[in-house]
Amino acid sequence: DAGITQSPRHKVTETGTPVTLRCHQTENHRYMYWYRQDPGHGLRLIHYSYGVKDTDKGEVSDGYSVSRSKTEDFLLTLESATSSQTSVYFCAISDQGEYTEAFFGQGTRLTVV
Amino acid sequence: SQKIEQNSEALNIQEGKTATLTCNYTNYSPAYLQWYRQDPGRGPVFLLLIRENEKEKRKERLKVTFDTTLKQSLFHITASQPADSATYLCALGQGGKLIFGQGTELSVKP
């Protein structure tokens, strides 16, 4: 299995609080992605990174920010969590972006109450 | 607007038959297209990647086609088995982004 770990695996938080999810890889892949998955919507891209300190928005970036200060870590922050951000979040890594296969983490189930 | 569309309805087939899943896209010009499998409660797992000049690619019982004129990819599972039951997602790239369709749920009955 590719070395990619998400933490935490489960989290319950209150509306209005900030939340940070972590994605850690040991593969030295250049690209890292954050997705959310909701019933009826499939996987939707939130943000992605193509190198240290190089990030860009995806399809559903409002209310989320990211940071990548090291190759191995990609952090997703919900600045002020809302109930609409209750979802399963997946991190993925890829050596050459869309030109090579992506490896996914186990997912983080986030509930905002 | 840009869209990736997969069969929204679940596909139910009998064991031993060939399953065919469709991925259509609009307003993209991908050079590569990928297919993934996802089981409940797990992250997607890569299956196959096809380049625009390959037209067809095979791996064991899996076959993928890629028609850039029709803007469509077909994913076939031959001699299907109950263990093939899962959700299958297509994905394409644009400028570093990897964008997924909503997936098609396949159920193979014994």
Side-chain angles (χ1 to χ4, degrees), chain A residues 50-98:
Chain A
Y50 47 96
V52 173
K53 297 189 179 168
D54 291 323
T55 65
D56 203 353
K57 295 179 181 180
E59 307 162 275
V60 290
S61 59
D62 287 348
Y64 301 95
S65 63
V66 289
S67 67
R68 191 168 178 201
S69 58
K70 300 185 288 186
T71 298
E72 55 266 35
D73 288 323
F74 192 32
L75 304 180
L76 176 71
T77 297
L78 288 65
E79 290 135 14
S80 178
T82 67
S83 59
S84 64
Q85 293 176 312
T86 292
S87 187
V88 178
Y89 291 85
F90 285 101
C91 175
I93 61 173
S94 174
D95 191 28
Q96 297 177 40
E98 69 258 42

Side-chain angles (χ1 to χ4, degrees), chain B residues 77-90:
Chain B
I77 306 175
T78 58
S80 59
Q81 305 165 0
D84 294 326
S85 298
T87 296
Y88 292 85
L89 305 109
C90 67

